[in-house]
């Protein structure tokens, strides 16, 4: 069970994962050793899965962000596993979810341009034997960045 100090520690690390033990201890009003032990415990218990850097897509030349809904024509473990393998091989697909409703999958993709998105849809996704329909929504502007999880 998380206490208020654990929640404050997690919130601080979501804002800046480079915080030192001393900086955490100052923020949480704990000794450095207490802050370090809490951080290690939260890592060991799986609350903190990893530490990553957030890159700027525009600086990397990825000017098109889109959400792509995929509907399968045939459903079964083989088709689902085959489609999941395809998704995992494509670096431009940065997130994937299974859904309820009309679409079976929602994919978040980053591409260099519209031509690259078109190729991904028509030459990769629609060519998969289980895919029956693909619908895309191109992001015009992201006015709220991916936010930290509530703690």
């Amino acid at each position: 069970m998380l206490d208020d100090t654990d929640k404050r520690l997690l919130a601080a690390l979501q804002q800046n994962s480079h915080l030192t033990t001393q900086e955490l201890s100052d923020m949480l009003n704990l000794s450095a050793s207490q802050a370090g032990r809490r951080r290690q415990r939260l890592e060991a218990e799986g609350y903190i899965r990893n530490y990553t850097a957030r890159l700027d897509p525009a600086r990397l030349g990825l000017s098109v962000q889109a959400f792509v809904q995929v509907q399968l024509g045939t459903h079964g473990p083989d088709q689902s596993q085959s489609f999941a393998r395809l998704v995992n091989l494509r670096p431009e697909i940065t997130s994937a979810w299974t859904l309820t409703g009309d679409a079976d999958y929602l994919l978040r993709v980053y591409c260099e341009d519209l031509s690259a998105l078109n190729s991904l849809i028509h030459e990769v996704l629609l060519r998969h034997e289980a895919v029956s329909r693909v619908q895309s929504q191109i992001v015009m502007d992201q006015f709220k960045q991916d936010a930290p999880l509530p703690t």
Side-chain angles (χ1 to χ4, degrees):
M1 188 73 179
L2 297 176
D3 64 19
D4 287 340
T5 303
D6 290 333
K7 291 177 183 179
R8 288 184 14 240
L9 185 147
L10 291 172
L13 288 175
Q14 284 190 96
Q15 293 297 323
N16 180 0
S17 64
H18 288 290
L19 289 173
T20 66
T21 302
Q22 186 59 54
E23 290 169 327
L24 282 171
S25 71
D26 293 343
M27 292 173 76
L28 301 172
N29 296 321
L30 298 172
S31 70
S33 61
Q34 289 173 318
R37 282 194 302 274
R38 278 183 183 259
R39 182 182 202 160
Q40 288 175 338
R41 178 181 55 79
L42 293 169
E43 290 169 351
E45 292 177 358
Y47 289 98
I48 300 171
R49 292 191 306 200
N50 59 28
Y51 296 95
T52 61
R54 287 191 176 181
L55 305 180
D56 184 337
R59 302 266 311 177
L60 295 170
L62 301 170
S63 62
V64 174
Q65 178 184 183
F67 289 93
V68 179
Q69 295 178 350
V70 177
Q71 185 175 27
L72 300 185
T74 55
H75 295 83
D78 293 340
Q79 291 84 5
S80 295
Q81 290 171 0
S82 174
F83 185 74
R85 279 192 299 276
L86 172 69
V87 166
N88 284 318
L89 290 174
R90 303 303 302 199
E92 64 269 63
I93 302 172
T94 61
S95 303
W97 299 269
T98 57
L99 303 174
T100 61
D102 292 336
D104 296 305
Y105 298 94
L106 177 65
L107 312 177
R108 183 182 196 178
V109 303
Y110 286 90
C111 295
E112 291 179 10
D113 53 29
L114 290 175
S115 178
L117 176 61
N118 185 57
S119 293
L120 174 67
I121 291 170
H122 291 281
E123 296 172 19
V124 177
L125 298 175
L126 283 170
R127 289 202 180 182
H128 189 279
E129 65 275 1
V131 172
S132 66
R133 185 173 74 65
V134 173
Q135 182 178 354
S136 64
Q137 293 85 33
I138 297 171
V139 174
M140 300 297 291
D141 183 36
Q142 185 174 354
F143 63 91
K144 181 179 180 178
Q145 298 301 311
D146 296 338
L149 294 174
T151 54

